[in-house]
Amino acid sequence: MTSEQDRWSRVKSRLRSNVGEDVYTSWFARMDLEAVQDESVRLSVPTRFLKSWIQAHYAERVLSCWQAEMPEVHRIDLTVRSAVRPIAQPKEVAAPVEVRRMDGRPAQELRSTATAPVSATHDALGGSPLDPRLTFASFVVGRANTLAHAAARQVAEGRRGDPVMFNPLYIHAGVGLGKTHLLQAVTWAGNSGSERKVLYLTAEKFMYGFVAALKTQTALAFKEALRGIDVLVIDDLQFLQGKSTQAEFCHTLNALIDAGRQVVIAADRPPSDLESLDDRVRSRLAGGLVVEMGSLGEDLRLGILKSRVAAARAHHASFDVPEEVLTYLARTITHNGRDLEGAINRLLAHSKLNNQPVTLEMAEREVRDLIRPQEPKRIKIEDIQRVVARQYNVSRSDLLSSRRTANVVRPRQVAMYLAKTLTLRSLPEIGRRFGGRDHTTVLHAVRKIEALVSKDTALSEEVESLKRQLQE
Ligand code: ADP
Ligand code: MG
């Protein structure tokens, strides 16, 4: 069991270094190991969208990372786990899809054994399932989330017809920092007691609902029904894709906001970084209140652990975690809330199965793989511009300007090169962020610097030093 987990940790590290930190966090942070059996490994992800994305883009790499650890593995089954206990409606669990590679050929066969029929409007408007544990009562407030929490509370306490204070409320934060928890808390609070209709949808659900509605030609009914709600809560907006869905999202957003209905959105990045959305949507999103939730500080982590233990004790009265263990976990599991939850679940499972009290020694053993080295931080284009400008003694506006003097051109090219290599931003997006330049200009800059660093040691050292400053 433990060795299986160890192996899984190693596979994850391989994957992480293989695809890079950003890609890893976006697509694989929520992938769990379900089982290893003979030649096949079963992995799960929380949403259908993640499943299809990983299958379409990363199936081979996941398999080869496993093969590097376990050569006998020939198949990866990716399933959608029901992450939450459905309340409103039974959640369909998508059938596993196989990823195979035969005789080492790099061909991939993706076979969808069954596709659950989506019943158009009903399905979309039933909302995404809610987890009964994710309420305001169990949400711990700390420095990282005070503002987001206050704003969410305010929204949840509104009544039909009240003037809307900030619209949309847009919350962004990295994985596992409490976005879904907060959004579901708003939904629970809003739907209990008040006469308002609050609808919680993942962006994925919004997409599938809309696409399905279009197929069955009930798009009109879908739109009407969507517009008939008081609060629309959309989670993981970064996954919204496709032109027609976006256009529809844009209409819905405008219609709701103009009608004085509240919209609450969560995403893993600020509106300005949602590259695939068009400018009008972005500016509409940025026009309300945009709040970032920071990483969980140690106090907050301790609070979350305590709240988890208290919740577990409601069902397992004998379960107890000594203070020193909680302190240890809060100090060492720094990554995100999901790992904190995982740690408590493991201690609970272990102490129940073996009928043993939780001790520090047991905790150290059980959560070893959850303790990760400090994550490299996410680098922003603004940071790159700031650091480069400082290094070359020019201003940031020089970098964005159209000036072509040598003392600005080179730093600008270096900055664009760093933006391409250190972030996941596309060339057009980088061009846009550098004073509205064309993507070919960015490409030219990237190639130029690439060519230069291989011959010019001084420049290459400068670039390395800039990278270090940015990664600090
Ligand atoms: P996100 O949607 O931002 O990826 P989640 O809301 O799913 O993150 O949070 C991950 C886990 O951490 C959940 O179990 C959640 O309950 C817990 N968590 C995160 N922040 C808090 C908080 N402030 N209080 C209580 N639990 C939290
Ligand atoms: Mg979430």
Side-chain angles (χ1 to χ4, degrees):
M1 162 79 178
T2 312
S3 77
E4 203 164 86
Q5 284 299 339
D6 285 348
R7 192 175 285 140
W8 174 222
S9 301
R10 287 197 301 273
V11 172
K12 283 192 286 188
S13 315
R14 278 180 190 280
L15 199 54
R16 192 187 284 254
S17 53
N18 188 307
V19 298
E21 195 58 38
D22 279 350
V23 171
Y24 183 87
T25 318
S26 304
W27 306 113
F28 300 105
R30 285 153 178 261
M31 188 154 83
D32 284 343
L33 174 63
E34 298 290 330
V36 181
Q37 205 172 31
D38 308 327
E39 299 192 332
S40 73
V41 170
R42 191 145 48 83
L43 301 171
S44 70
V45 286
T47 69
R48 261 201 293 179
F49 178 68
L50 276 178
K51 184 179 95 169
S52 59
W53 188 273
I54 291 172
Q55 270 166 345
H57 298 90
Y58 298 103
E60 282 294 311
R61 290 208 234 181
V62 174
L63 182 60
S64 60
C65 288
W66 268 100
Q67 288 178 329
E69 290 293 331
M70 280 179 79
E72 65 271 32
V73 170
H74 282 290
R75 205 175 93 181
I76 306 284
D77 291 332
L78 197 54
T79 61
V80 177
R81 62 175 173 269
S82 22
V84 295
R85 274 170 270 149
I87 295 239
Q89 59 189 43
K91 179 174 165 80
E92 91 262 19
V93 177
V97 172
E98 295 175 358
V99 180
R100 264 178 212 274
R101 178 156 70 178
M102 285 157 193
D103 9 293
R105 233 169 13 106
Q108 65 189 49
E109 182 193 59
L110 301 177
R111 196 145 49 87
S112 194
T113 12
T115 335
V118 184
S119 80
T121 51
H122 168 77
D123 194 58
L125 294 169
S128 301
L130 295 178
D131 184 333
R133 295 167 307 176
L134 304 183
T135 61
F136 279 119
S138 62
F139 190 84
V140 185
V141 185
R143 206 169 38 171
N145 59 29
T146 318
L147 184 57
H149 172 261
R153 264 237 115 95
Q154 175 88 35
V155 164
E157 282 161 11
R159 302 173 143 270
R160 178 172 282 172
D162 277 0
V164 177
M165 282 180 66
F166 18 75
N167 213 3
L169 168 60
Y170 185 106
I171 297 171
H172 66 101
V175 174
L177 300 183
K179 300 182 295 295
T180 296
H181 192 143
L182 206 50
L183 259 51
Q184 296 209 359
V186 168
T187 313
W188 283 118
N191 276 333
S192 65
S194 86
E195 74 282 24
R196 295 196 305 175
K197 181 161 166 43
V198 185
L199 183 66
Y200 171 88
L201 288 176
T202 57
E204 186 198 9
K205 190 90 173 178
F206 184 90
M207 291 194 293
Y208 281 111
F210 183 64
V211 173
L214 277 185
K215 278 194 192 133
T216 52
Q217 304 193 327
T218 51
L220 202 62
F222 175 84
K223 286 185 210 173
E224 284 311 307
L226 253 189
R227 286 170 192 172
I229 57 163
D230 298 293
V231 184
L232 178 65
V233 180
I234 296 200
D235 202 354
D236 285 329
L237 188 71
Q238 72 275 8
F239 291 142
L240 194 77
Q241 298 197 334
K243 275 260 170 291
S244 66
T245 326
Q246 287 185 12
E248 193 48 38
F249 172 72
C250 184
H251 287 146
T252 307
L253 191 69
N254 287 334
L256 286 169
I257 294 179
D258 294 342
R261 310 289 166 74
Q262 178 76 55
V263 177
V264 184
I265 287 167
D268 69 352
R269 61 198 79 174
S272 57
D273 285 1
L274 289 168
E275 286 158 24
S276 57
L277 287 189
D278 79 50
D279 287 340
R280 273 170 315 163
V281 186
R282 257 198 298 246
S283 70
R284 188 99 218 207
L285 290 174
L289 178 65
V290 177
V291 201
E292 178 168 13
M293 290 200 285
S295 50
L296 308 169
E298 192 168 328
D299 288 351
L300 194 51
R301 298 199 293 268
L302 188 61
I304 293 175
L305 288 166
K306 286 183 173 164
S307 133
R308 286 281 157 198
V309 173
R313 281 170 64 94
H315 300 283
H316 309 277
S318 64
F319 180 59
D320 192 26
V321 183
E323 193 71 31
E324 60 165 356
V325 173
L326 293 174
T327 319
Y328 165 75
L329 296 176
R331 206 184 57 235
T332 49
I333 304 180
T334 54
H335 185 62
N336 69 38
R338 223 181 143 229
D339 288 350
L340 294 173
E341 183 185 358
I344 296 298
N345 287 344
R346 281 194 207 171
L347 296 184
L348 177 63
H350 195 84
S351 80
K352 282 274 145 195
L353 294 175
N354 301 316
N355 206 6
Q356 278 171 357
V358 175
T359 62
L360 188 55
E361 197 218 329
M362 169 208 212
E364 280 171 351
R365 204 175 48 235
E366 288 300 307
V367 305
R368 216 171 22 195
D369 63 300
L370 295 178
I371 302 170
R372 308 184 189 176
Q374 206 65 41
E375 292 270 307
K377 75 170 195 213
R378 222 193 184 95
I379 296 167
K380 300 195 177 105
I381 289 186
E382 292 84 75
D383 297 333
I384 295 176
Q385 292 169 341
R386 190 172 39 75
V387 171
V388 170
R390 191 177 60 200
Q391 170 111 355
Y392 292 100
N393 209 6
V394 294
S395 71
R396 190 168 158 248
S397 52
D398 284 336
L399 294 179
L400 308 192
S401 74
S402 51
R403 290 182 49 205
R404 295 176 149 280
T405 45
N407 70 324
V408 208
V409 169
R410 184 49 48 81
R412 186 185 292 136
Q413 288 175 334
V414 168
M416 290 196 259
Y417 164 81
L418 290 172
K420 186 66 200 136
T421 46
L422 299 179
T423 75
L424 285 178
R425 305 292 162 244
S426 62
L427 294 172
E429 170 71 5
I430 295 171
R432 212 170 56 76
R433 305 281 286 276
F434 277 83
R437 291 184 149 73
D438 194 70
H439 74 276
T440 53
T441 311
V442 184
L443 185 61
H444 172 74
V446 174
R447 296 219 169 118
K448 177 95 192 174
I449 300 299
E450 263 167 8
L452 284 175
V453 285
S454 61
K455 327 192 267 252
D456 179 341
T457 34
L459 181 69
S460 140
E461 274 163 23
E462 260 165 43
V463 168
E464 284 312 307
S465 141
L466 285 164
K467 283 188 184 167
R468 271 197 306 279
Q469 291 176 53
L470 284 161
Q471 272 150 354
E472 252 163 26

